[in-house]
Amino acid sequence: NMAIKEGESFTARELFYGLLVRGANDAALVLAEHVAGSQEEFCRLMNEKAKELGALNTHFENVTGFHTEGSYTTARDVGIIAQHMYSIPEFFEISNTTRYVVQPTEQTKTKRTLINRNMLLSRVLSEKYYFSRAKGMTQGSTPEGGHCIVSCATGKNGLTYLCVVLNSKEEN
């Protein structure tokens, strides 16, 4: 999360950095409520957009990705949604950012440094998985969904490959 405090103000761009670089659930909630008035209404819009894109085996019940009995998706559908996100240059650029600094606010007097959790992109958390040709999107985990990542890379042949991994188990 971004540790957003009540009364703090952020630009939409700062919240998108929180969401796409850090996976900040509090940023997702703020954005959803700003756009649609509530998380429930934003989920309705997300489900509508997923169907419009052809992600027919996906249903969202929250904006955080936390497990609920009624939420589901497939790797194929995640790939469809990722392709759409990659087609939006600003989102693609933000998802490739390895480190972003949010300036202090009235409520939080220090800067917040957001480090990208996608270890394919950044060597900050670990060098073990770094891949120089990898490009953004997101990574996360839940006990029910395991470790998940959506990323892409440009091969030596110039083609771009999209990778979706769901329910991976943590390596010791």
Side-chain angles (χ1 to χ4, degrees):
N1 67 49
M2 287 178 54
I4 295 173
K5 295 180 181 168
E6 187 174 339
E8 281 189 293
S9 294
F10 299 94
T11 65
R13 188 168 190 82
E14 287 172 321
L15 292 169
F16 279 116
Y17 272 98
L19 180 64
L20 296 172
V21 171
R22 190 70 204 143
N25 293 322
D26 50 359
L29 290 166
V30 170
L31 286 164
E33 288 179 10
H34 177 74
V35 168
S38 70
Q39 179 178 202
E40 294 75 23
E41 178 60 16
F42 194 82
C43 285
R44 188 189 68 72
L45 296 173
M46 287 172 40
N47 289 320
E48 188 177 284
K49 185 66 173 182
K51 300 296 181 245
E52 177 186 314
L53 294 172
L56 304 177
N57 295 301
T58 292
H59 180 77
F60 300 106
E61 289 195 346
N62 63 56
V63 298
T64 63
F66 288 141
H67 177 76
T68 64
E69 290 303 317
S71 293
Y72 55 87
T73 193
T74 64
R76 181 184 183 280
D77 282 4
V78 171
I80 289 169
I81 295 165
Q83 282 181 305
H84 178 67
M85 193 284 285
Y86 284 137
S87 74
I88 304 168
E90 295 83 4
F91 288 167
F92 187 65
E93 173 192 324
I94 291 170
S95 76
N96 282 297
T97 302
T98 56
R99 179 187 307 252
Y100 182 76
V101 177
V102 179
Q103 295 304 310
T105 66
E106 190 63 34
Q107 292 81 358
T108 303
K109 305 292 185 195
T110 59
K111 295 178 182 179
R112 294 176 175 105
T113 301
L114 308 175
I115 305 297
N116 200 314
R117 301 174 306 158
N118 183 343
M119 289 186 264
L120 292 173
L121 298 180
S122 174
R123 292 180 172 144
V124 174
L125 300 175
S126 171
E127 291 201 23
K128 186 174 182 178
Y129 302 105
Y130 177 75
F131 183 57
S132 64
R133 292 192 305 267
K135 301 293 179 199
M137 185 100 186
T138 192
Q139 158 297 305
S141 66
T142 64
E144 299 83 4
H147 294 270
C148 304
I149 188 167
V150 181
S151 196
C152 71
T154 302
K156 293 179 182 177
N157 58 5
L159 296 176
T160 299
Y161 299 90
L162 177 66
C163 176
V164 177
V165 177
L166 304 177
N167 201 25
S168 175
K169 303 303 175 204
E170 185 173 4
E171 181 181 315
N172 292 326

PDB file of all heavy atoms in Angstrom, residues 13 19 28 30 35 48 60 66 110 116 130 162:
ATOM      1  N   ARG A  13      -2.226  10.614 -11.292  1.00  0.00           N
ATOM      2  CA  ARG A  13      -0.957  10.035 -11.738  1.00  0.00           C
ATOM      3  C   ARG A  13      -0.196   9.406 -10.566  1.00  0.00           C
ATOM      4  O   ARG A  13       0.336   8.305 -10.680  1.00  0.00           O
ATOM      5  CB  ARG A  13      -0.118  11.092 -12.445  1.00  0.00           C
ATOM      6  CG  ARG A  13       1.126  10.551 -13.112  1.00  0.00           C
ATOM      7  CD  ARG A  13       1.759  11.610 -14.034  1.00  0.00           C
ATOM      8  NE  ARG A  13       2.792  11.045 -14.837  1.00  0.00           N
ATOM      9  CZ  ARG A  13       2.620  10.375 -15.970  1.00  0.00           C
ATOM     10  NH1 ARG A  13       1.410  10.181 -16.427  1.00  0.00           N
ATOM     11  NH2 ARG A  13       3.637   9.890 -16.644  1.00  0.00           N
ATOM     12  N   LEU A  19      -0.495   2.257  -7.662  1.00  0.00           N
ATOM     13  CA  LEU A  19      -1.185   1.042  -8.097  1.00  0.00           C
ATOM     14  C   LEU A  19      -0.305   0.162  -8.972  1.00  0.00           C
ATOM     15  O   LEU A  19      -0.168  -1.041  -8.728  1.00  0.00           O
ATOM     16  CB  LEU A  19      -2.458   1.436  -8.860  1.00  0.00           C
ATOM     17  CG  LEU A  19      -3.311   0.309  -9.405  1.00  0.00           C
ATOM     18  CD1 LEU A  19      -3.871  -0.542  -8.278  1.00  0.00           C
ATOM     19  CD2 LEU A  19      -4.435   0.890 -10.251  1.00  0.00           C
ATOM     20  N   ALA A  28      -5.866   1.788  -5.256  1.00  0.00           N
ATOM     21  CA  ALA A  28      -6.940   1.212  -6.070  1.00  0.00           C
ATOM     22  C   ALA A  28      -8.304   1.626  -5.525  1.00  0.00           C
ATOM     23  O   ALA A  28      -9.207   1.994  -6.289  1.00  0.00           O
ATOM     24  CB  ALA A  28      -6.827  -0.315  -6.102  1.00  0.00           C
ATOM     25  N   VAL A  30      -9.041   4.305  -3.651  1.00  0.00           N
ATOM     26  CA  VAL A  30      -9.250   5.742  -3.851  1.00  0.00           C
ATOM     27  C   VAL A  30      -9.632   6.026  -5.299  1.00  0.00           C
ATOM     28  O   VAL A  30     -10.570   6.783  -5.571  1.00  0.00           O
ATOM     29  CB  VAL A  30      -7.998   6.550  -3.431  1.00  0.00           C
ATOM     30  CG1 VAL A  30      -8.107   8.007  -3.860  1.00  0.00           C
ATOM     31  CG2 VAL A  30      -7.781   6.452  -1.926  1.00  0.00           C
ATOM     32  N   VAL A  35     -13.634   7.538  -9.379  1.00  0.00           N
ATOM     33  CA  VAL A  35     -14.186   7.350 -10.725  1.00  0.00           C
ATOM     34  C   VAL A  35     -15.660   6.971 -10.685  1.00  0.00           C
ATOM     35  O   VAL A  35     -16.475   7.512 -11.447  1.00  0.00           O
ATOM     36  CB  VAL A  35     -13.383   6.278 -11.500  1.00  0.00           C
ATOM     37  CG1 VAL A  35     -14.093   5.859 -12.778  1.00  0.00           C
ATOM     38  CG2 VAL A  35     -11.987   6.793 -11.800  1.00  0.00           C
ATOM     39  N   GLU A  48     -17.898  -5.085 -16.896  1.00  0.00           N
ATOM     40  CA  GLU A  48     -18.406  -4.683 -18.204  1.00  0.00           C
ATOM     41  C   GLU A  48     -17.265  -4.562 -19.213  1.00  0.00           C
ATOM     42  O   GLU A  48     -17.356  -5.055 -20.338  1.00  0.00           O
ATOM     43  CB  GLU A  48     -19.128  -3.336 -18.035  1.00  0.00           C
ATOM     44  CG  GLU A  48     -19.880  -2.836 -19.216  1.00  0.00           C
ATOM     45  CD  GLU A  48     -20.594  -1.532 -18.857  1.00  0.00           C
ATOM     46  OE1 GLU A  48     -21.629  -1.603 -18.169  1.00  0.00           O
ATOM     47  OE2 GLU A  48     -20.099  -0.457 -19.270  1.00  0.00           O
ATOM     48  N   PHE A  60     -15.028  -9.726 -11.339  1.00  0.00           N
ATOM     49  CA  PHE A  60     -14.398  -9.015 -10.233  1.00  0.00           C
ATOM     50  C   PHE A  60     -15.437  -8.658  -9.178  1.00  0.00           C
ATOM     51  O   PHE A  60     -16.515  -8.186  -9.515  1.00  0.00           O
ATOM     52  CB  PHE A  60     -13.754  -7.713 -10.722  1.00  0.00           C
ATOM     53  CG  PHE A  60     -12.695  -7.901 -11.761  1.00  0.00           C
ATOM     54  CD1 PHE A  60     -12.950  -7.589 -13.090  1.00  0.00           C
ATOM     55  CD2 PHE A  60     -11.437  -8.364 -11.415  1.00  0.00           C
ATOM     56  CE1 PHE A  60     -11.971  -7.737 -14.059  1.00  0.00           C
ATOM     57  CE2 PHE A  60     -10.455  -8.529 -12.376  1.00  0.00           C
ATOM     58  CZ  PHE A  60     -10.724  -8.211 -13.695  1.00  0.00           C
ATOM     59  N   PHE A  66      -7.958  -9.163  -3.824  1.00  0.00           N
ATOM     60  CA  PHE A  66      -8.080 -10.085  -2.700  1.00  0.00           C
ATOM     61  C   PHE A  66      -9.120 -11.156  -3.024  1.00  0.00           C
ATOM     62  O   PHE A  66     -10.095 -10.908  -3.723  1.00  0.00           O
ATOM     63  CB  PHE A  66      -8.481  -9.355  -1.415  1.00  0.00           C
ATOM     64  CG  PHE A  66      -7.375  -8.517  -0.821  1.00  0.00           C
ATOM     65  CD1 PHE A  66      -7.672  -7.284  -0.275  1.00  0.00           C
ATOM     66  CD2 PHE A  66      -6.059  -8.942  -0.797  1.00  0.00           C
ATOM     67  CE1 PHE A  66      -6.677  -6.503   0.279  1.00  0.00           C
ATOM     68  CE2 PHE A  66      -5.057  -8.176  -0.256  1.00  0.00           C
ATOM     69  CZ  PHE A  66      -5.375  -6.948   0.298  1.00  0.00           C
ATOM     70  N   THR A 110       7.123  13.062   5.179  1.00  0.00           N
ATOM     71  CA  THR A 110       8.283  12.494   4.484  1.00  0.00           C
ATOM     72  C   THR A 110       7.873  11.974   3.112  1.00  0.00           C
ATOM     73  O   THR A 110       6.703  11.678   2.857  1.00  0.00           O
ATOM     74  CB  THR A 110       8.895  11.333   5.295  1.00  0.00           C
ATOM     75  OG1 THR A 110       7.885  10.337   5.482  1.00  0.00           O
ATOM     76  CG2 THR A 110       9.404  11.818   6.648  1.00  0.00           C
ATOM     77  N   ASN A 116       9.151  -1.007  -7.365  1.00  0.00           N
ATOM     78  CA  ASN A 116       8.390  -1.974  -8.146  1.00  0.00           C
ATOM     79  C   ASN A 116       8.624  -3.379  -7.610  1.00  0.00           C
ATOM     80  O   ASN A 116       9.766  -3.800  -7.424  1.00  0.00           O
ATOM     81  CB  ASN A 116       8.779  -1.893  -9.625  1.00  0.00           C
ATOM     82  CG  ASN A 116       7.726  -2.492 -10.523  1.00  0.00           C
ATOM     83  OD1 ASN A 116       7.220  -3.579 -10.255  1.00  0.00           O
ATOM     84  ND2 ASN A 116       7.394  -1.795 -11.589  1.00  0.00           N
ATOM     85  N   TYR A 130      15.896 -10.821 -12.372  1.00  0.00           N
ATOM     86  CA  TYR A 130      16.005  -9.675 -13.279  1.00  0.00           C
ATOM     87  C   TYR A 130      16.229 -10.141 -14.721  1.00  0.00           C
ATOM     88  O   TYR A 130      17.023 -11.035 -14.991  1.00  0.00           O
ATOM     89  CB  TYR A 130      17.150  -8.765 -12.859  1.00  0.00           C
ATOM     90  CG  TYR A 130      17.347  -7.605 -13.805  1.00  0.00           C
ATOM     91  CD1 TYR A 130      16.477  -6.530 -13.789  1.00  0.00           C
ATOM     92  CD2 TYR A 130      18.382  -7.607 -14.726  1.00  0.00           C
ATOM     93  CE1 TYR A 130      16.636  -5.478 -14.670  1.00  0.00           C
ATOM     94  CE2 TYR A 130      18.553  -6.558 -15.610  1.00  0.00           C
ATOM     95  CZ  TYR A 130      17.673  -5.495 -15.576  1.00  0.00           C
ATOM     96  OH  TYR A 130      17.831  -4.461 -16.458  1.00  0.00           O
ATOM     97  N   LEU A 162       3.993 -11.905 -24.242  1.00  0.00           N
ATOM     98  CA  LEU A 162       3.251 -11.631 -23.021  1.00  0.00           C
ATOM     99  C   LEU A 162       3.278 -12.886 -22.163  1.00  0.00           C
ATOM    100  O   LEU A 162       3.034 -13.991 -22.667  1.00  0.00           O
ATOM    101  CB  LEU A 162       1.810 -11.244 -23.350  1.00  0.00           C
ATOM    102  CG  LEU A 162       0.877 -10.982 -22.174  1.00  0.00           C
ATOM    103  CD1 LEU A 162       1.330  -9.750 -21.400  1.00  0.00           C
ATOM    104  CD2 LEU A 162      -0.543 -10.804 -22.673  1.00  0.00           C
TER     105      LEU A 162
END
